[in-house]
Every structure is written in structure tokens, then in C-alpha cells.
Amino acid sequence: FPANEDTMAREVEVLERDWGVTDRASADETLDWVLTEGHRMDYVSQMEGFEADAEGIADVAEADRTAWLCDNFYVTESEAENYMYWYNPFAEKGEAAISAWDYSRAMSNLGFFYLAGYYTVTESLDRSLEAAKAIQQTYGSWDEFIASYLEGYYAWAGDEAENRDSIYEGLKGSAFNPYAVDWNLELKKTW
């Protein structure tokens, strides 16, 4: 979007409605939360809770886990199936299983904070560079990052990732593929 008054008004409204961001201080607070905790901390806490039970989920045969969750956590079968879907990536990757969702929201918000007038372009780019370096250190490729993003989206929205995975695949095959950029590109300040 162009950085103009119309865009600023729209972003101010959207940020307040969706994030409770109304000024620089609340933008800073929101960014800090997304980067240090985000939705992944609730996810980690919940998954660790399943493991902490006397007979933790990891000790239960995978075929029996849905019933175990229903019996021990008083959830419906549908909810238990969702938890099973979320637990497997957690068991393999821990927090990184969904943290790309938070990181990508931080990156988006940095652009929105600039457009809303809460950050200068330089502040937004500086913080984006910090976040991009953390992303690059956490994941080994675009595919790993997007897999984590999709898991995080699903955990947040409670729905399948809709067509987001096919959008990613479509972008990878397009002439305007942003994912053609080498994952290991040296990230440095050029502004």
C-alpha cells in the first residue's frame, strides 16, 4: 500500500480492531509479545501439559492417544483429534513447530505499524531485519518456515490452512516467486 493518509486511516482502524494497537507504546508491546511469546507459548504449554500427566501422551501408543486425551482431559473426540494433529509436530520440533506463524505476523505488523504512522520506515526495517535473522536461525529453508507457518495458522485458527499451502506452491512456481531468494542470503542493513 502507498504510505498516504487513506492507508494510514485504514491501518490505524485495522490495528486497533484486530490487535488493540492504538499508538507507538501498544505497537511496541504487541511486537514484543509476538516475538517473545506469541501464540506459540500457549501451544507449548498445552502440549507440555499433555506430556506432564503421570502417563504422558508420549507414553501412550499413537493409536490410543485420542481416547487417552478424551479420558484424561475431558475433551470431545474432535478436539482430541485436533490436539493429536498439533502434538506430533511439537514432539518433533518443539516451539519451532508453529513459531513461524508468530514471526510472520511480526513481520506483517512491522509494515502495518509503519503505514499507521507508529514506526518510521527505518525503525520498521531495523526491527524487520532483527526478526528475519531470528527466522533464518530457527529454520533451514523456506519449506521448513512455511510448514511451521501453516501449523501455526491451523493452531491459531482451528481450521485447516485453507488454501494457504496451495498459494505457497503456486508462488514457488510463478515468475514472481519471492521464495526464489536464497534462504541463506546474508541479511544485512542496506538502508
Side-chain angles (χ1 to χ4, degrees), residues 13-23 26-27 29-30:
E13 180 183 325
V14 169
L15 286 168
E16 182 174 4
R17 181 192 69 218
D18 294 349
W19 289 93
V21 172
T22 58
D23 55 17
S26 57
E29 184 178 309
T30 297

Side-chain angles (χ1 to χ4, degrees), residues 153-165:
Y153 174 81
Y154 180 58
W156 172 76
D159 293 328
E160 292 291 333
E162 296 170 353
N163 61 348
R164 290 172 185 240
D165 53 346

Side-chain angles (χ1 to χ4, degrees), residues 24 42 76 81 96-97 148 152 165:
R24 172 58 184 254
D42 285 341
T76 67
E81 288 170 3
S148 174
D165 53 346

Side-chain angles (χ1 to χ4, degrees), residues 58-75:
D59 301 323
V60 177
E62 194 163 336
D64 299 329
R65 288 179 180 172
T66 299
W68 178 85
L69 285 166
C70 289
D71 292 343
N72 290 284
F73 291 92
Y74 308 105
V75 296

Side-chain angles (χ1 to χ4, degrees), residues 34-46:
V34 172
L35 289 172
T36 61
E37 297 179 37
H39 293 99
R40 64 192 177 277
M41 288 301 108
D42 285 341
Y43 166 82
V44 167
S45 176
Q46 199 163 39

